[in-house]
Amino acid sequence: MALTGRAALLAALGSLPVGIWEPSWTGILAVNIPLAVACACDFALAAPVRRLGLARSGDTSARLGEAADVTLTVTNPSGRPLRAHVRDAWPPSSWQPGTEVEASRHQLTVPAGERRRLTTRLRPTRRGDRQADRVTIRSYGPLRLFCRQGTHKAPWTVRVLPPFTSRKHLPSKLARLRELDGRTSVLTRGEGTEFDSLREYVPGDDTRSIDWRATARQTSVAVRTWRPERDRHILVVLDTGRTSAGRVGDAPRLDASMDAALLLAALASRAGDRVDLLAYDRRVRALVQGRTAKDLLPSLVDAMASLEPELVETNARGLTATALRTAPRRSLIVLLTSLDAAPIEEGLLPVLPQLTQRHTVLLASVADPHIARMATARGNTDAVYEAAAAAQAQTERDRTAEQLRRHGVTVVDATPDDLAPALADAYLALKAAGRL
């Protein structure tokens, strides 16, 4: 029981004339007894809290940045109406900063023997599972002098999924894919592609595509057309080690890598390729294998939702061994990691030949746009020093990328907004060149 009516009671007593207090206790009791009776009646008429029934329904998942509505049904089995203030508690990251009080508190009136629903709208600011905490209900009497208060457990979980903001680039990338696949333009030739059909030679065609046997059987020169092979295997490897925790803008590098991986998976699955996902630092954090094109994206976003960067150095040897086990036959391995010199030179480069001798390797890294802005800064001594530091950092990054290219690795280095489309373009370029 919370004595919320104490302030009102003392105020009432404090407003009594001084003369009533002076003669004897008789006058005091004459006034206090009606007030005490009123308070007791108010408390007795407040609906009991412990007997209330609570049940939840509503959204179980939402993309980061979107709203999720969770409905709480309150059943009042008592014979007294419930007049209540309700606090539906969730973790702080379930709302935008400063909106928690307004979003989590409700006023509710439930007649005797009936039920009512109230909706809590969540706007999560982080990926992962958000679990409901306690529901605190404060039941008032009709005079609101006293109240009954109790806490209930009403479990519910909302999974916050990656936002997939790069989805807007998918239509343009699919148009390019259709060009490669021969549905909107001339088919291409290249090593590792599949024969599609014959057509008449036109000026500008590669003479190596001429089919001399077919030409001998007809009056015009015939050339072979090719289409990119389908059912290629792509393994997307997310590095969840300490370098993925670095924040670029408002989000860690891992989030930008996830967004790029989702666009690549959506594009590759439309191309008929099989896509698997491996998240690794010193152990496997997530593994998605063998999904159909229809189930691929839901499986990926569900696996990525709970991933968080681990503040440990990634074990490059363990990552390589796990990738080779996950992709036993020739595949495209897309490694989303950092281009920092130390982790690459000390960790990845010594074991890189194990990957490149069996697979095509594409490495994508998130660049910090602030470094580019620093490199152009001028005007005072601090700005010049910042520009020099940015130039040195970019030079080291370019040198590391060149070392990887000498090992046959395709490197994509782009800012968070540009990484996803740049990675998709690199995949399409490899496909057009017949390297998949």
Side-chain angles (χ1 to χ4, degrees):
M1 179 182 71
L3 301 179
T4 57
R6 180 180 297 175
L9 183 60
L10 293 178
L13 291 176
S15 64
L16 294 176
V18 177
I20 297 179
W21 293 81
E22 292 178 351
S24 66
W25 289 96
T26 305
I28 299 175
L29 293 176
V31 175
N32 285 355
I33 288 176
L35 289 174
V37 171
C39 291
C41 292
D42 194 53
F43 176 75
L45 292 174
V49 174
R50 293 189 178 183
R51 295 173 55 192
L52 296 177
L54 274 67
R56 289 193 186 271
S57 60
D59 296 332
T60 56
S61 65
R63 293 193 180 277
L64 184 64
E66 297 180 355
D69 292 335
V70 180
T71 300
L72 180 69
T73 302
V74 181
T75 303
N76 179 18
S78 70
R80 287 164 278 178
L82 173 68
R83 311 169 188 87
H85 288 170
V86 180
R87 179 176 182 264
D88 191 3
W90 290 75
S93 59
S94 301
W95 291 282
Q96 299 290 334
T99 64
E100 176 182 358
V101 173
E102 180 181 357
S104 64
R105 287 166 170 77
H106 310 270
Q107 291 190 11
L108 186 66
T109 300
V110 185
E114 297 186 15
R115 67 183 65 181
R116 291 291 185 271
R117 294 182 177 88
L118 56 88
T119 299
T120 300
R121 171 158 290 188
L122 309 179
R123 289 192 177 273
T125 58
R126 292 178 58 188
R127 288 180 293 99
D129 292 338
R130 297 293 169 267
Q131 297 182 346
D133 198 355
R134 295 166 295 178
V135 178
T136 302
I137 300 178
R138 182 173 290 177
S139 172
Y140 290 90
L143 299 178
R144 294 185 175 271
L145 295 176
F146 281 79
C147 75
R148 304 171 187 263
Q149 181 169 304
T151 300
H152 292 259
K153 289 286 187 179
W156 194 259
T157 301
V158 175
R159 171 155 287 196
V160 186
L161 307 173
F164 195 11
T165 55
S166 62
R167 185 192 297 269
K168 60 188 177 184
H169 299 290
L170 187 57
S172 62
K173 305 308 175 187
L174 288 175
R176 288 192 57 193
L177 177 64
R178 286 192 293 269
E179 293 178 2
L180 292 178
D181 209 18
R183 287 190 284 270
T184 59
S185 72
V186 177
L187 295 167
T188 61
R189 76 171 297 278
E191 181 185 355
T193 57
E194 296 177 347
F195 172 76
D196 184 74
S197 62
L198 294 171
R199 64 170 173 80
E200 186 176 348
Y201 174 86
V202 295
D205 283 339
D206 191 339
T207 56
R208 291 175 296 179
S209 298
I210 296 176
D211 189 321
W212 296 108
R213 291 178 180 270
T215 300
R217 294 193 299 266
Q218 58 190 38
T219 58
S220 60
V221 179
V223 295
R224 294 184 295 270
T225 58
W226 307 79
R227 56 190 170 89
E229 294 183 29
R230 304 178 73 86
D231 196 28
R232 302 295 88 190
H233 182 221
I234 299 173
L235 175 62
V236 179
V237 181
L238 284 174
D239 179 359
T240 56
R242 65 170 183 82
T243 57
S244 67
R247 299 187 73 84
V248 179
D250 295 331
R253 282 185 167 90
L254 181 60
D255 284 28
S257 298
M258 289 180 181
D259 194 52
L262 289 173
L263 180 62
L264 175 63
L267 180 62
S269 63
R270 297 287 187 90
D273 295 336
R274 296 185 300 108
V275 182
D276 293 338
L277 171 73
L278 170 66
Y280 191 94
D281 42 69
R282 290 189 176 178
R283 63 180 179 88
V284 176
R285 300 291 177 177
L287 181 61
V288 178
Q289 285 182 290
R291 297 299 192 272
T292 63
K294 180 180 179 180
D295 297 332
L296 178 62
L297 280 182
S299 299
L300 290 182
V301 295
D302 188 63
M304 291 177 178
S306 57
L307 282 179
E308 294 292 343
E310 300 292 332
L311 299 182
V312 296
E313 197 71 43
T314 299
N315 181 355
R317 292 188 179 275
L319 185 150
T320 301
T322 306
L324 291 174
R325 288 196 303 269
T326 308
R329 65 184 183 91
R330 185 166 184 81
S331 309
L332 170 63
I333 294 184
V334 180
L335 179 57
L336 290 145
T337 186
S338 167
L339 262 182
D340 294 346
I344 294 294
E345 294 175 358
E346 299 174 11
L348 183 61
L349 283 180
V351 297
L352 190 58
Q354 300 178 35
L355 291 176
T356 55
Q357 69 182 359
R358 293 175 52 183
H359 303 288
T360 301
V361 180
L362 193 163
L363 185 144
S365 180
V366 182
D368 191 346
H370 183 61
I371 293 179
R373 292 193 294 269
M374 287 174 56
T376 60
R378 298 292 187 273
N380 55 51
T381 304
D382 291 341
V384 171
Y385 276 114
E386 288 181 357
Q392 181 180 4
Q394 188 58 51
T395 300
E396 291 182 355
R397 198 173 182 89
D398 293 341
R399 181 175 58 84
T400 303
E402 186 58 34
Q403 286 181 291
L404 292 167
R405 292 188 182 101
R406 286 199 295 268
H407 284 78
V409 178
T410 301
V411 178
V412 175
D413 186 21
T415 60
D417 292 338
D418 297 331
L419 182 65
L423 179 59
D425 288 340
Y427 161 77
L428 292 172
L430 290 173
K431 209 168 186 64
R435 294 181 58 188
L436 297 185

